[in-house]
Amino acid sequence: RKEVEQDPGPFNVPEGATVAFNCTYSNSASQSFFWYRQDCRKEPKLLMSVYSSGNEDGRFTAQLNRASQYISLLIRDSKLSDSATYLCVVIAFNQAGTALIFGKGTTLSVSS
Amino acid sequence: SQTIHQWPATLVQPVGSPLSLECTVEGTSNPNLYWYRQAAGRGLQLLFYSVGIGQISSEVPQNLSASRPQDRQFILSSKKLLLSDSGFYLCAWNSGGNQPQHFGDGTRLSIL
């Protein structure tokens, strides 16, 4: 099992749709979780952290399920500008210290 | 506020030539610094990270090296570039531990 796995997509949705991405991680010692957004040919940018209690930022909701070892990102009322690749990031502490693992990303395409 | 600068934005180099990419961080002290490479259509690959001046950890064997001559400066180098060194190189920083990383704008390197 890969350390961090994401469905690569692409997810093609119309404007206004609700779309959800999942990300699974293999290291049960993982401590912190984030979602990043990466536009084509640009650097990844932090979208939001993921907290155990779940958290919301406008149209975006992130949730963590430690028992099943997955995190999710829900986007409501999709906009054209949401089109991007969404990267799941997991931080785990191991013998070597802190390991920050990026998923390969899920591509979202929102169309009018 | 903290900022990260990375240059150049684009670089075209012949095979066998040397390389030097520079990254600097402002507005923080003793950051953790990272170099990543992202090949076309692929995920982020961690190349090097540094937790302090002169401290470099290499994640994968390769044709590249990194140095940290100053607290907020991180340099990626090569003596002789290979075709396989082409890619999108990203510098990132965080304040350590379980904090998210913040990326520079990236350098798109093409080897001819």
Side-chain angles (χ1 to χ4, degrees):
Chain A
R1 184 178 178 184
K2 294 180 182 175
E3 290 187 88
V4 176
E5 277 196 89
Q6 293 182 252
D7 181 344
F11 285 63
N12 299 303
V13 303
E15 278 186 289
T18 296
V19 61
F21 309 136
N22 279 343
C23 167
T24 58
Y25 59 94
S26 60
N27 188 339
S28 60
S30 299
Q31 298 289 324
S32 300
F33 309 88
F34 307 96
W35 282 103
Y36 279 72
R37 170 196 169 125
Q38 186 173 23
D39 291 295
C40 187
R41 301 177 70 83
K42 295 287 189 179
E43 77 278 16
K45 292 185 178 178
L46 179 64
L47 180 65
M48 59 197 304
S49 302
V50 186
Y51 303 120
S52 296
S53 55
N55 48 300
E56 190 173 306
D57 182 2
R59 298 181 293 108
F60 298 83
T61 300
Q63 295 207 311
L64 166 65
N65 185 318
R66 286 192 183 272
S68 300
Q69 294 183 204
Y70 77 84
I71 66 173
S72 63
L73 178 68
L74 181 77
I75 305 176
R76 292 182 299 277
D77 189 22
S78 299
K79 310 291 185 190
L80 292 175
S81 57
D82 293 333
S83 298
T85 297
Y86 292 84
L87 305 174
C88 166
V89 180
V90 173
I91 296 181
F93 296 96
N94 54 32
Q95 290 180 336
T98 301
L100 192 144
I101 311 296
F102 282 81
K104 293 190 176 180
T106 298
T107 299
L108 171 66
S109 177
V110 182
S111 57
S112 57
Chain B
S1 62
Q2 301 88 1
T3 56
I4 179 168
H5 302 280
Q6 189 181 339
W7 66 91
T10 306
L11 192 59
V12 180
Q13 293 281 100
V15 170
S17 64
L19 173 74
S20 180
L21 301 181
E22 191 161 341
C23 172
T24 59
V25 179
E26 296 178 358
T28 186
S29 58
N30 198 32
N32 286 356
L33 296 171
Y34 307 82
W35 277 112
Y36 289 88
R37 175 170 59 206
Q38 189 174 38
R42 306 286 291 276
L44 285 165
Q45 179 187 32
L46 179 62
L47 302 175
F48 301 95
Y49 69 92
S50 171
V51 298
I53 296 174
Q55 299 178 61
I56 309 294
S57 296
S58 175
E59 287 295 298
V60 293
Q62 59 210 318
N63 184 41
L64 302 168
S65 62
S67 61
R68 185 169 176 174
Q70 300 180 45
D71 181 45
R72 290 170 288 176
Q73 184 184 29
F74 205 22
I75 298 172
L76 183 69
S77 304
S78 173
K79 292 181 179 178
K80 281 188 177 181
L81 286 167
L82 306 171
L83 282 174
S84 57
D85 291 324
S86 293
F88 189 39
Y89 287 83
L90 290 153
C91 180
W93 77 274
N94 70 358
S95 53
N98 59 355
Q99 300 304 307
Q101 293 181 359
H102 303 279
F103 289 84
D105 291 342
T107 295
R108 200 158 297 278
L109 175 64
S110 298
I111 310 301
L112 303 179

PDB file of all heavy atoms in Angstrom, chain A residues 67-85:
ATOM      1  N   ALA A  67      -9.638   6.261  12.217  1.00  0.00           N
ATOM      2  CA  ALA A  67      -9.868   4.809  12.304  1.00  0.00           C
ATOM      3  C   ALA A  67      -9.681   4.150  10.948  1.00  0.00           C
ATOM      4  O   ALA A  67      -9.080   3.077  10.829  1.00  0.00           O
ATOM      5  CB  ALA A  67     -11.268   4.543  12.848  1.00  0.00           C
ATOM      6  N   SER A  68     -10.192   4.803   9.917  1.00  0.00           N
ATOM      7  CA  SER A  68     -10.075   4.251   8.566  1.00  0.00           C
ATOM      8  C   SER A  68      -8.893   4.820   7.802  1.00  0.00           C
ATOM      9  O   SER A  68      -8.657   4.431   6.661  1.00  0.00           O
ATOM     10  CB  SER A  68     -11.366   4.522   7.778  1.00  0.00           C
ATOM     11  OG  SER A  68     -12.471   3.924   8.420  1.00  0.00           O
ATOM     12  N   GLN A  69      -8.187   5.744   8.431  1.00  0.00           N
ATOM     13  CA  GLN A  69      -6.981   6.345   7.853  1.00  0.00           C
ATOM     14  C   GLN A  69      -7.253   6.994   6.504  1.00  0.00           C
ATOM     15  O   GLN A  69      -6.609   6.654   5.481  1.00  0.00           O
ATOM     16  CB  GLN A  69      -5.839   5.319   7.776  1.00  0.00           C
ATOM     17  CG  GLN A  69      -5.362   4.894   9.154  1.00  0.00           C
ATOM     18  CD  GLN A  69      -4.191   3.939   9.133  1.00  0.00           C
ATOM     19  OE1 GLN A  69      -3.979   3.182  10.077  1.00  0.00           O
ATOM     20  NE2 GLN A  69      -3.398   3.934   8.090  1.00  0.00           N
ATOM     21  N   TYR A  70      -8.206   7.893   6.497  1.00  0.00           N
ATOM     22  CA  TYR A  70      -8.400   8.678   5.291  1.00  0.00           C
ATOM     23  C   TYR A  70      -8.820  10.097   5.655  1.00  0.00           C
ATOM     24  O   TYR A  70      -9.352  10.357   6.732  1.00  0.00           O
ATOM     25  CB  TYR A  70      -9.393   8.026   4.322  1.00  0.00           C
ATOM     26  CG  TYR A  70     -10.849   8.174   4.682  1.00  0.00           C
ATOM     27  CD1 TYR A  70     -11.572   9.324   4.332  1.00  0.00           C
ATOM     28  CD2 TYR A  70     -11.530   7.142   5.333  1.00  0.00           C
ATOM     29  CE1 TYR A  70     -12.904   9.447   4.640  1.00  0.00           C
ATOM     30  CE2 TYR A  70     -12.871   7.265   5.641  1.00  0.00           C
ATOM     31  CZ  TYR A  70     -13.562   8.410   5.299  1.00  0.00           C
ATOM     32  OH  TYR A  70     -14.893   8.534   5.601  1.00  0.00           O
ATOM     33  N   ILE A  71      -8.543  10.996   4.733  1.00  0.00           N
ATOM     34  CA  ILE A  71      -9.025  12.368   4.848  1.00  0.00           C
ATOM     35  C   ILE A  71      -9.817  12.684   3.593  1.00  0.00           C
ATOM     36  O   ILE A  71      -9.642  12.030   2.548  1.00  0.00           O
ATOM     37  CB  ILE A  71      -7.900  13.390   5.064  1.00  0.00           C
ATOM     38  CG1 ILE A  71      -6.990  13.486   3.836  1.00  0.00           C
ATOM     39  CG2 ILE A  71      -7.072  13.034   6.290  1.00  0.00           C
ATOM     40  CD1 ILE A  71      -5.970  14.601   3.940  1.00  0.00           C
ATOM     41  N   SER A  72     -10.689  13.639   3.713  1.00  0.00           N
ATOM     42  CA  SER A  72     -11.532  13.989   2.581  1.00  0.00           C
ATOM     43  C   SER A  72     -11.598  15.499   2.414  1.00  0.00           C
ATOM     44  O   SER A  72     -11.346  16.264   3.345  1.00  0.00           O
ATOM     45  CB  SER A  72     -12.942  13.415   2.762  1.00  0.00           C
ATOM     46  OG  SER A  72     -13.556  14.000   3.904  1.00  0.00           O
ATOM     47  N   LEU A  73     -11.908  15.900   1.198  1.00  0.00           N
ATOM     48  CA  LEU A  73     -12.121  17.307   0.882  1.00  0.00           C
ATOM     49  C   LEU A  73     -13.418  17.404   0.096  1.00  0.00           C
ATOM     50  O   LEU A  73     -13.573  16.731  -0.929  1.00  0.00           O
ATOM     51  CB  LEU A  73     -10.966  17.870   0.054  1.00  0.00           C
ATOM     52  CG  LEU A  73     -11.112  19.326  -0.382  1.00  0.00           C
ATOM     53  CD1 LEU A  73     -11.044  20.256   0.819  1.00  0.00           C
ATOM     54  CD2 LEU A  73     -10.041  19.695  -1.400  1.00  0.00           C
ATOM     55  N   LEU A  74     -14.330  18.217   0.589  1.00  0.00           N
ATOM     56  CA  LEU A  74     -15.610  18.428  -0.074  1.00  0.00           C
ATOM     57  C   LEU A  74     -15.653  19.860  -0.589  1.00  0.00           C
ATOM     58  O   LEU A  74     -15.371  20.798   0.164  1.00  0.00           O
ATOM     59  CB  LEU A  74     -16.761  18.187   0.911  1.00  0.00           C
ATOM     60  CG  LEU A  74     -18.182  18.352   0.367  1.00  0.00           C
ATOM     61  CD1 LEU A  74     -18.552  17.127  -0.458  1.00  0.00           C
ATOM     62  CD2 LEU A  74     -19.186  18.541   1.503  1.00  0.00           C
ATOM     63  N   ILE A  75     -15.995  20.002  -1.837  1.00  0.00           N
ATOM     64  CA  ILE A  75     -16.144  21.335  -2.429  1.00  0.00           C
ATOM     65  C   ILE A  75     -17.598  21.497  -2.857  1.00  0.00           C
ATOM     66  O   ILE A  75     -18.108  20.726  -3.674  1.00  0.00           O
ATOM     67  CB  ILE A  75     -15.228  21.523  -3.655  1.00  0.00           C
ATOM     68  CG1 ILE A  75     -13.772  21.229  -3.293  1.00  0.00           C
ATOM     69  CG2 ILE A  75     -15.359  22.948  -4.201  1.00  0.00           C
ATOM     70  CD1 ILE A  75     -12.812  21.289  -4.483  1.00  0.00           C
ATOM     71  N   ARG A  76     -18.241  22.496  -2.288  1.00  0.00           N
ATOM     72  CA  ARG A  76     -19.648  22.777  -2.643  1.00  0.00           C
ATOM     73  C   ARG A  76     -19.718  23.910  -3.641  1.00  0.00           C
ATOM     74  O   ARG A  76     -18.841  24.776  -3.688  1.00  0.00           O
ATOM     75  CB  ARG A  76     -20.446  23.152  -1.393  1.00  0.00           C
ATOM     76  CG  ARG A  76     -20.639  22.020  -0.402  1.00  0.00           C
ATOM     77  CD  ARG A  76     -21.491  22.483   0.795  1.00  0.00           C
ATOM     78  NE  ARG A  76     -20.834  23.575   1.501  1.00  0.00           N
ATOM     79  CZ  ARG A  76     -19.890  23.389   2.417  1.00  0.00           C
ATOM     80  NH1 ARG A  76     -19.488  22.182   2.721  1.00  0.00           N
ATOM     81  NH2 ARG A  76     -19.331  24.434   3.013  1.00  0.00           N
ATOM     82  N   ASP A  77     -20.788  23.911  -4.441  1.00  0.00           N
ATOM     83  CA  ASP A  77     -21.017  25.009  -5.379  1.00  0.00           C
ATOM     84  C   ASP A  77     -19.755  25.299  -6.195  1.00  0.00           C
ATOM     85  O   ASP A  77     -19.217  26.409  -6.183  1.00  0.00           O
ATOM     86  CB  ASP A  77     -21.460  26.265  -4.618  1.00  0.00           C
ATOM     87  CG  ASP A  77     -21.931  27.375  -5.525  1.00  0.00           C
ATOM     88  OD1 ASP A  77     -22.318  27.073  -6.675  1.00  0.00           O
ATOM     89  OD2 ASP A  77     -21.884  28.549  -5.102  1.00  0.00           O
ATOM     90  N   SER A  78     -19.264  24.306  -6.889  1.00  0.00           N
ATOM     91  CA  SER A  78     -18.004  24.411  -7.633  1.00  0.00           C
ATOM     92  C   SER A  78     -17.998  25.614  -8.571  1.00  0.00           C
ATOM     93  O   SER A  78     -18.994  25.917  -9.236  1.00  0.00           O
ATOM     94  CB  SER A  78     -17.775  23.139  -8.452  1.00  0.00           C
ATOM     95  OG  SER A  78     -17.679  22.014  -7.624  1.00  0.00           O
ATOM     96  N   LYS A  79     -16.846  26.266  -8.609  1.00  0.00           N
ATOM     97  CA  LYS A  79     -16.626  27.392  -9.523  1.00  0.00           C
ATOM     98  C   LYS A  79     -15.609  26.981 -10.580  1.00  0.00           C
ATOM     99  O   LYS A  79     -14.791  26.079 -10.368  1.00  0.00           O
ATOM    100  CB  LYS A  79     -16.058  28.600  -8.748  1.00  0.00           C
ATOM    101  CG  LYS A  79     -16.814  28.968  -7.491  1.00  0.00           C
ATOM    102  CD  LYS A  79     -18.173  29.518  -7.800  1.00  0.00           C
ATOM    103  CE  LYS A  79     -18.863  30.002  -6.513  1.00  0.00           C
ATOM    104  NZ  LYS A  79     -20.294  30.324  -6.755  1.00  0.00           N
ATOM    105  N   LEU A  80     -15.635  27.692 -11.697  1.00  0.00           N
ATOM    106  CA  LEU A  80     -14.634  27.436 -12.742  1.00  0.00           C
ATOM    107  C   LEU A  80     -13.233  27.550 -12.178  1.00  0.00           C
ATOM    108  O   LEU A  80     -12.323  26.791 -12.540  1.00  0.00           O
ATOM    109  CB  LEU A  80     -14.813  28.417 -13.898  1.00  0.00           C
ATOM    110  CG  LEU A  80     -16.075  28.272 -14.744  1.00  0.00           C
ATOM    111  CD1 LEU A  80     -16.153  29.401 -15.762  1.00  0.00           C
ATOM    112  CD2 LEU A  80     -16.122  26.924 -15.445  1.00  0.00           C
ATOM    113  N   SER A  81     -13.054  28.501 -11.272  1.00  0.00           N
ATOM    114  CA  SER A  81     -11.730  28.754 -10.700  1.00  0.00           C
ATOM    115  C   SER A  81     -11.264  27.660  -9.748  1.00  0.00           C
ATOM    116  O   SER A  81     -10.112  27.673  -9.306  1.00  0.00           O
ATOM    117  CB  SER A  81     -11.731  30.092  -9.961  1.00  0.00           C
ATOM    118  OG  SER A  81     -12.732  30.094  -8.957  1.00  0.00           O
ATOM    119  N   ASP A  82     -12.131  26.712  -9.441  1.00  0.00           N
ATOM    120  CA  ASP A  82     -11.717  25.585  -8.600  1.00  0.00           C
ATOM    121  C   ASP A  82     -10.937  24.541  -9.392  1.00  0.00           C
ATOM    122  O   ASP A  82     -10.369  23.610  -8.815  1.00  0.00           O
ATOM    123  CB  ASP A  82     -12.931  24.909  -7.949  1.00  0.00           C
ATOM    124  CG  ASP A  82     -13.639  25.793  -6.938  1.00  0.00           C
ATOM    125  OD1 ASP A  82     -12.977  26.686  -6.355  1.00  0.00           O
ATOM    126  OD2 ASP A  82     -14.862  25.618  -6.749  1.00  0.00           O
ATOM    127  N   SER A  83     -10.933  24.663 -10.698  1.00  0.00           N
ATOM    128  CA  SER A  83     -10.214  23.707 -11.534  1.00  0.00           C
ATOM    129  C   SER A  83      -8.729  23.742 -11.186  1.00  0.00           C
ATOM    130  O   SER A  83      -8.082  24.791 -11.277  1.00  0.00           O
ATOM    131  CB  SER A  83     -10.401  24.036 -13.018  1.00  0.00           C
ATOM    132  OG  SER A  83     -11.766  23.941 -13.383  1.00  0.00           O
ATOM    133  N   ALA A  84      -8.221  22.604 -10.770  1.00  0.00           N
ATOM    134  CA  ALA A  84      -6.830  22.515 -10.318  1.00  0.00           C
ATOM    135  C   ALA A  84      -6.565  21.070  -9.921  1.00  0.00           C
ATOM    136  O   ALA A  84      -7.452  20.216  -9.989  1.00  0.00           O
ATOM    137  CB  ALA A  84      -6.584  23.439  -9.129  1.00  0.00           C
ATOM    138  N   THR A  85      -5.357  20.818  -9.468  1.00  0.00           N
ATOM    139  CA  THR A  85      -5.027  19.528  -8.881  1.00  0.00           C
ATOM    140  C   THR A  85      -4.946  19.697  -7.373  1.00  0.00           C
ATOM    141  O   THR A  85      -4.316  20.641  -6.880  1.00  0.00           O
ATOM    142  CB  THR A  85      -3.693  19.003  -9.423  1.00  0.00           C
ATOM    143  OG1 THR A  85      -3.826  18.790 -10.831  1.00  0.00           O
ATOM    144  CG2 THR A  85      -3.309  17.688  -8.754  1.00  0.00           C
TER     145      THR A  85
END
